[in-house]
Amino acid sequence: MMKSPNGLIELEKPGYEPSLDGLRAIAVMAVLLYHLGATGLHGGFIGVDVFYIISGFLITRILLSQFEQAKFDYTEFLVRRCRRLLPALFLTIVLTLIGAFLVMSPKHFSETAESAVYSSVSLANWYFWIDSSYFSAGKHVRPLLHTWSLGVEVQFYLAWPLVMALVSWIFYYSRWTAFFVMVFIGAVSFFASVYVQDGYPSAAFYLSIFRVWQFAAGGCIAILLLLPGKNGDIFISEKLHWLFFVGGIVLLGMSMFLLSSDNYNAIRAVLPTIATCALLIGIRTSASRVLLGSRPLVRLGQTSYSLYLIHWPLIILYRYWAFRPLNAWEMIILAGVSMLLAELMYRLVEERFRLPWAGNQKGEVRLVGFVVSSIVMAIGFSGSLIAYQNGWNWRLSEARQEANLETHLSIHCGANFKSLAETACAFGQPKKDPDIVVIGDSHALEFAKGFEALVQADDLSAVLVRQYGVLPFKGVTTYGGEWKVGDFEENLTRVADVPSQIVVIHARFAQYWWGIDAEGEPPTRIGFQDGSPDGIEPSQHAFRVGLDNTLAHFKNAGSKLVVIGAIPYPGLDSSQCIVRPSYLISEDHSEKSCEGLTRMESKERASAVNRVLKKRVEQEGHLFIDPTSVFCPETQSTCLRMFDGKVIYHDSNHLNGVGASILADYVWAMIKQNFGEPFMASM
């Protein structure tokens, strides 16, 4: 670094620093091993945080150089970013769609095609945020899920130069001004993320505005290394750089092995952010150049973008084909194949297309714009067509096409009874007071879809009151890990005030009892207002307390209560497994990979909570209905996955129209049998 006459550190043209590629290599390997499921690396996902901070650091340095030399050109900057990022991204999207065509069910192929459209225009983070509802697909059926982070990065590239240009125009640009503006922007973004993370965790995770603080942190480091100190030296003495490097290595290791994806938020992201900033300060030390600048790490870092792009679709599509978690050998092979493909993509795509495509700037802008827009339109048209045609059911064999002909039921919600709850859905005959109230989570909604025709046929009025992912018990709160999901308190109070009714409660009781969710998701816990319980035993205690509170609540209200027990689920997503195309999946492989749980295993999981429910419900004089006999017939080795040749679930646990009708028919028959026709007539 050289000093200018005014004491500022002169900004050299940003050159290549091998240690930065070494840091990228560590980040991408952490992500790769985490996605493969490597034991112990709970925080490998923080590699994405590292990438964001490095990007903020490098882009700020580039822009500083261009602004101070009066050479900044926004169009040229974006064209360079397009050449650098988009060719490899487009190739990944195309290859992913081909793979999904070969192995994915129509439902998941349609969803993948839809996400491809958004990924191609760098809006994947918005797509996955909007689609992060209770019913959205799990991460292991989304081969383009990882492109959300690229969406965030591209949006940063679009906005950051404009912010710096605005600062230069308003404040007659100086490095100190830029530094304090970045601190301000970073602080606003950080505290905004902290503010929304409890109520809107998906927004805090996916949206750029809540991630800007990490880019700003990298930008601040870029400027700090150029600010003058008291003696005219750089602001942070070079003598301290090695301390920052060692501290950064230690903190980064702690982040990877101690942090968890459960409830990861801005506060917890501070640790890897500090670690990366410290490493950037010490990036030019001899220790850094020995460790991070080694040839294998540097080469891996150079291919890190391609490796990040290709590894996740490869893992997801292979898992989709195998339909089970990976074993150790498969992890090793997939890691090796990912790195090989990344090397090929780097050589054949990244290195070739990052160079200028035309002889002059005007021609470059036109050519890049034409090629990019043409490919985006092609992906958009293809993806939209696949999604519109429901994932091309014609790819399946005739038997699998028949199995995929799900009876889609939708409930027709009336506007009356909105005083019960904002989510109240009236169905059946319109009356002043409902004859039947159905309350519960998303599983109560599926039941109500099958129940509607029966209620309508008997000239009755009903209303559904539901809260997704919340146990419908009084006095308890549902948590996802440490996060509060919600409670049913207000809805239960209002329901009990409605006269002359049957109250039907149904939910995914086995989930709330055992607390086990999909792989990689935080466990469900039942607790009280003071926070999530520590472990399954206090959670089950709270479940019992909530059950007793609810039974007493409706007994005091004089309601006739019906509790539908836990359904014994088959232990697999039959809508995914059974209806995969046969291009790479033979009937024999399909049958073996779709084994799921045995009948006894499914029953054992449901029977534990059903015994608790049955004992307490019947002790209080209410009706308990156990659906086990219907969904686990004695004549089969597994619980029902199909009925009359058709799949009965639309994911691993929610009934589709076929399954909902089976459950509703049985429950309605039991209600009539237990309450009798005179009671029904009185309604």
Side-chain angles (χ1 to χ4, degrees):
M1 295 281 183
M2 298 178 61
K3 289 181 290 184
S4 66
N6 61 9
L8 289 177
I9 307 301
E10 288 189 0
L11 181 61
E12 302 168 3
K13 182 179 180 180
Y16 175 64
E17 181 55 62
S19 296
L20 281 177
D21 272 328
L23 185 55
R24 285 193 183 103
I26 292 176
V28 77
M29 283 305 297
V31 173
L32 172 61
L33 293 174
Y34 173 74
H35 284 160
L36 285 169
T39 304
L41 199 68
H42 306 296
F45 57 87
I46 61 97
V48 172
D49 301 74
V50 176
F51 282 129
Y52 286 163
I53 299 157
I54 292 175
S55 291
F57 176 83
L58 289 175
I59 294 303
T60 301
R61 285 192 62 194
I62 292 171
L63 292 174
L64 277 174
S65 175
Q66 293 180 351
F67 275 117
E68 294 185 2
Q69 298 176 44
K71 293 182 179 179
F72 173 70
D73 186 315
Y74 185 63
T75 302
E76 182 185 4
F77 175 83
L78 293 183
V79 167
R80 286 177 177 270
R81 293 297 95 197
C82 286
R83 294 201 313 258
R84 169 73 177 87
L85 299 175
L86 296 186
L89 173 63
F90 290 154
L91 178 60
T92 300
I93 292 173
V94 172
L95 292 176
T96 300
L97 287 175
I98 293 172
F101 173 88
L102 294 174
V103 302
M104 281 191 150
S105 70
K107 172 186 173 184
H108 293 141
F109 183 42
S110 175
E111 292 170 352
T112 299
E114 195 174 66
S115 68
V117 176
Y118 286 85
S119 297
S120 68
V121 291
S122 300
L123 289 175
N125 59 322
W126 282 83
Y127 171 78
F128 290 116
W129 169 59
I130 293 169
D131 197 41
S132 60
S133 67
Y134 187 81
F135 288 102
S136 60
K139 67 179 184 180
H140 290 298
V141 295
R142 291 180 151 181
L144 291 174
L145 177 61
H146 66 319
T147 59
W148 74 268
S149 64
L150 300 180
V152 172
E153 187 135 352
V154 169
Q155 289 153 33
F156 165 76
Y157 293 149
L158 290 171
W160 202 241
L162 299 179
V163 170
M164 293 188 67
L166 186 63
V167 170
S168 177
W169 180 63
I170 295 177
F171 298 104
Y172 299 100
Y173 185 82
S174 74
R175 293 177 188 174
W176 277 112
T177 302
F179 176 77
F180 286 118
V181 169
M182 287 184 194
V183 170
F184 175 76
I185 292 173
V188 170
S189 172
F190 175 79
F191 287 111
S193 181
V194 171
Y195 179 76
V196 303
Q197 66 191 16
D198 286 335
Y200 306 95
S202 294
F205 183 83
Y206 284 117
L207 298 188
S208 304
I209 186 64
F210 304 119
R211 291 281 185 165
V212 165
W213 67 275
Q214 292 183 303
F215 293 98
C220 287
I221 298 302
I223 297 177
L224 275 178
L225 293 178
L226 298 170
L227 292 176
K230 291 182 179 179
N231 300 319
D233 201 351
I234 57 177
F235 188 75
I236 302 175
S237 172
E238 291 183 347
K239 297 178 181 179
L240 298 176
H241 284 194
W242 70 273
L243 288 176
F244 281 97
F245 177 76
V246 173
I249 289 290
V250 172
L251 292 177
L252 195 63
M254 291 173 60
S255 301
M256 291 180 182
F257 290 98
L258 298 182
L259 292 178
S260 170
S261 59
D262 293 354
N263 311 318
Y264 187 66
N265 54 42
I267 294 175
R268 298 185 181 188
V270 168
L271 183 62
T273 301
I274 292 175
T276 308
C277 289
L279 286 170
L280 290 175
I281 293 173
I283 202 72
R284 291 190 174 183
T285 61
S286 58
S288 172
R289 287 173 173 168
V290 170
L291 295 176
L292 298 181
S294 62
R295 291 185 65 181
L297 274 185
V298 169
R299 187 56 181 177
L300 186 59
Q302 290 172 339
T303 64
S304 61
Y305 178 58
S306 288
L307 181 54
Y308 181 81
L309 283 175
I310 204 67
H311 84 281
W312 181 250
L314 184 64
I315 292 170
I316 295 309
L317 292 174
Y318 179 82
R319 281 189 55 147
Y320 202 100
W321 174 85
F323 206 74
R324 55 173 169 74
L326 303 175
N327 60 43
W329 281 111
E330 287 170 327
M331 291 181 190
I332 294 171
I333 292 170
L334 284 171
V337 172
S338 295
M339 288 188 281
L340 176 61
L341 293 176
E343 179 69 28
L344 291 174
M345 186 181 292
Y346 176 75
R347 292 187 180 188
L348 301 179
V349 179
E350 284 195 69
E351 283 192 325
R352 294 189 179 188
F353 287 97
R354 72 171 55 184
L355 299 174
W357 297 0
N360 57 75
Q361 184 176 350
K362 184 178 291 186
E364 181 82 4
V365 171
R366 289 176 177 175
L367 181 58
V368 171
F370 173 75
V371 172
V372 168
S373 59
S374 298
I375 295 174
V376 166
M377 285 190 290
I379 293 174
F381 175 78
S382 303
S384 300
L385 180 65
I386 294 167
Y388 177 75
Q389 295 182 345
N390 299 314
W392 291 351
N393 198 56
W394 50 264
R395 296 176 300 125
L396 308 182
S397 64
E398 289 187 12
R400 294 180 187 180
Q401 286 189 42
E402 180 66 21
N404 196 48
L405 291 177
E406 174 185 322
T407 303
H408 292 281
L409 291 181
S410 57
I411 194 165
H412 304 88
C413 294
N416 46 329
F417 310 134
K418 284 295 183 182
S419 60
L420 280 175
E422 290 184 5
T423 59
C425 170
F427 59 98
Q429 297 298 325
K431 294 183 181 180
K432 179 182 178 182
D433 295 314
D435 299 307
I436 303 170
V437 177
V438 179
I439 62 176
D441 56 12
S442 58
H443 295 257
L445 170 63
E446 301 307 319
F447 164 73
K449 290 178 181 180
F451 198 45
E452 181 180 19
L454 302 175
V455 171
Q456 187 80 28
D458 281 343
D459 200 29
L460 299 174
S461 173
V463 61
L464 167 68
V465 179
R466 81 277 191 189
Q467 280 182 256
Y468 296 151
V470 176
L471 177 67
F473 286 172
K474 189 171 179 62
V476 295
T477 301
T478 304
Y479 294 88
E482 297 177 9
W483 294 111
K484 178 181 177 181
V485 180
D487 62 67
F488 229 95
E489 199 72 22
E490 185 176 350
N491 285 334
L492 288 170
T493 301
R494 291 183 178 182
V495 167
D497 293 336
V498 178
S500 63
Q501 60 175 315
I502 290 177
V503 176
V504 179
I505 299 180
H506 182 49
R508 192 182 176 189
F509 289 121
Q511 169 66 27
Y512 300 118
W513 178 256
W514 294 111
I516 302 171
D517 209 330
E519 182 181 348
E521 298 297 325
T524 300
R525 293 286 183 260
I526 308 303
F528 304 101
Q529 288 291 342
D530 56 352
S532 177
D534 184 16
I536 191 64
E537 290 186 5
S539 178
Q540 291 178 348
H541 168 72
F543 182 100
R544 290 190 180 95
V545 171
L547 173 60
D548 290 342
N549 291 342
T550 305
L551 297 176
H553 179 68
F554 284 109
K555 187 174 183 178
N556 293 335
S559 303
K560 293 179 174 61
L561 185 64
V562 178
V563 177
I564 306 172
I567 297 173
Y569 301 116
L572 79 164
D573 184 348
S574 53
S575 69
Q576 169 188 341
C577 187
I578 296 173
V579 293
R580 293 174 293 173
S582 54
Y583 299 117
L584 301 177
I585 303 171
S586 65
E587 295 293 339
D588 180 61
H589 174 74
S590 179
E591 183 176 339
K592 289 180 179 178
S593 62
C594 293
E595 289 179 352
L597 300 177
T598 65
R599 178 177 176 275
M600 187 59 65
E601 289 170 335
S602 295
K603 286 182 64 177
E604 285 177 357
R605 179 169 170 78
S607 63
V609 68
N610 282 345
R611 285 194 297 268
V612 174
L613 292 169
K614 178 180 174 65
K615 179 180 178 181
R616 295 297 298 124
V617 169
E618 293 182 349
Q619 281 178 348
E620 294 297 321
H622 301 296
L623 175 60
F624 176 75
I625 299 176
D626 188 346
T628 299
S629 62
V630 178
F631 286 89
C632 294
E634 298 283 349
T635 56
Q636 294 194 11
S637 60
T638 65
C639 293
L640 287 184
R641 304 162 184 188
M642 302 177 69
F643 181 78
D644 196 22
K646 295 183 177 62
V647 174
I648 67 171
Y649 292 94
H650 67 72
D651 58 20
S652 62
N653 58 87
H654 289 93
L655 297 170
N656 63 17
V658 177
S661 296
I662 294 171
L663 178 62
D665 287 343
Y666 178 66
V667 168
W668 196 226
M670 294 297 291
I671 289 176
K672 288 184 175 182
Q673 177 183 321
N674 283 270
F675 291 136
E677 294 298 333
F679 172 77
M680 300 303 299
S682 69
M683 296 176 67

